[in-house]
């Protein structure tokens, strides 16, 4: 009896150890510290909503800039600015980052993230990469076909940070300076990562030049909801006061 029990127990142990450990299917929804790293080759992948469209009618002279904060947790400093491209097509970026730590942590990468940096400065609060076509992070961006990459994956499309200081400029055809467009970056943030996706520093984009009254006709738009300020109520009260005054005059 004891021998049979021992044999069954050993058989169960062998069966359990023979099952391979599998990773969850599909790419992660976010790049955060400690998330899985994709080591496969880059590949063109069309998003669930198709490839990123070229943005047009970006208003001339509009520039948004993000300046990395002066914080004690990192020595990385610098800025990235995006200006409406020639003829209103795409966005011209100028990048100037410096103060990177050991290159053993690199190559460093940077992206436009979906949400702005919260008031507490926690870069994790910026959410995932800007990805209006729902492409996902994996496989890695295929730079030869940037329209197939995540819209916010600037490093994937135009190169990682391999030197310090790091200075580059390029025209990205898939981001927009038109508020309300799905590819609009002006109300979002830039995040700098180590090669293992640890978030090192981040900053919000803010408008520094021009206006954004021109509509973008290529990228789908989302309505902008303005906060209620009480203006309508003030007008109603004023109208009521005028009506009361007229009635009093007639009586």
């Amino acid at each position: 009896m004891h021998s049979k029990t021992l044999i069954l127990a050993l058989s169960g142990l062998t069966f359990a150890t023979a099952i391979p450990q599998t990773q969850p299917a599909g790419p992660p929804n976010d790049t955060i510290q400690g998330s899985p790293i994709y080591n496969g080759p880059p590949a063109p992948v069309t998003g669930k909503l198709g490839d990123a469209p070229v943005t047009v009618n970006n208003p001339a002279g509009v520039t948004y800039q993000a300046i990395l904060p002066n914080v004690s947790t990192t020595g990385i400093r610098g800025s990235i600015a995006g200006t409406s491209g020639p003829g209103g097509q795409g966005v011209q970026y100028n990048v100037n980052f410096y103060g990177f730590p050991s290159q053993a942590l690199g190559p460093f990468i940077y992206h436009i993230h979906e949400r702005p940096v919260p008031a507490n400065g926690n870069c994790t609060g910026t959410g995932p990469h800007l990805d209006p076509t729902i492409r996902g992070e994996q496989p890695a961006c295929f730079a030869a076909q940037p329209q197939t990459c995540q819209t916010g994956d600037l490093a994937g499309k135009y190169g990682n940070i391999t030197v310090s200081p790091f200075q580059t400029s390029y025209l990205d055809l898939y981001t927009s300076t038109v508020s309300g467009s799905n590819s609009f970056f002006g109300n979002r943030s830039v995040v700098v990562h180590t090669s293992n996706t640890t978030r090192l520093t981040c900053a919000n984009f803010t408008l520094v030049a021009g206006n954004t009254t021109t509509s973008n006709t290529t990228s789908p738009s989302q309505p902008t909801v303005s906060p209620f300020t009480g203006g309508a109520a003030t007008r109603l009260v004023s109208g009521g006061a005028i009506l009361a005054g007229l009635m009093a005059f007639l009586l």
Side-chain angles (χ1 to χ4, degrees):
M1 181 64 180
H2 292 295
S3 299
K4 183 183 291 186
T5 302
L6 180 60
I7 292 172
L8 289 174
L10 290 174
S11 299
L13 178 61
T14 302
F15 178 75
T17 56
I19 300 175
Q21 298 297 313
T22 58
Q23 296 294 327
N29 293 324
D30 197 358
T31 298
I32 60 175
Q33 183 171 335
S35 65
I37 305 300
Y38 177 75
N39 293 317
V45 175
T46 297
K48 292 181 180 179
L49 300 182
D51 289 341
V54 173
T55 64
V56 297
N57 294 335
N58 292 303
V62 169
T63 299
Y64 288 89
Q65 183 182 48
I67 301 176
L68 298 178
N70 184 9
V71 293
S72 60
T73 54
T74 178
I76 301 173
R77 302 290 186 268
S79 64
I80 175 173
T83 303
S84 298
Q89 189 173 79
V91 175
Q92 179 71 40
Y93 286 93
N94 290 288
V95 185
N96 179 24
F97 295 145
Y98 57 93
F100 287 89
S102 169
Q103 283 299 319
L105 299 174
F108 299 93
I109 51 182
Y110 66 106
H111 316 101
I112 297 173
H113 280 238
E114 192 174 80
R115 297 192 291 270
V117 181
N120 63 8
N122 190 334
C123 295
T124 303
T126 61
H129 303 163
L130 176 60
D131 187 19
T133 64
I134 318 179
R135 188 261 191 201
E137 293 185 22
Q138 300 175 7
C141 166
F142 186 60
Q145 297 182 27
Q147 72 275 15
T148 67
C149 301
Q150 289 182 304
T151 298
D153 188 3
L154 299 182
K157 289 186 282 187
Y158 307 108
N160 296 332
I161 300 169
T162 56
V163 296
S164 183
F166 174 77
Q167 296 178 330
T168 187
S169 62
Y170 47 81
L171 176 66
D172 177 71
L173 296 175
Y174 313 102
T175 45
S176 171
T177 59
V178 178
S179 178
S181 166
N182 286 344
S183 54
F184 176 60
F185 71 96
N187 61 347
R188 308 184 195 276
S189 58
V190 64
V191 179
V192 179
H193 307 255
T194 62
S195 61
N196 74 351
T197 73
T198 299
R199 302 186 184 202
L200 296 174
T201 187
C202 53
N204 290 330
F205 285 98
T206 58
L207 181 67
V208 295
N211 63 74
T212 59
T213 57
T214 302
S215 297
N216 181 299
T217 59
T218 299
S219 299
S221 61
Q222 295 176 337
T224 300
V225 180
S226 299
F228 175 68
T229 60
T234 301
R235 287 192 292 272
L236 287 174
V237 171
S238 299
I242 293 171
L243 181 59
L246 289 173
M247 291 180 66
F249 175 78
L250 292 174
L251 292 176

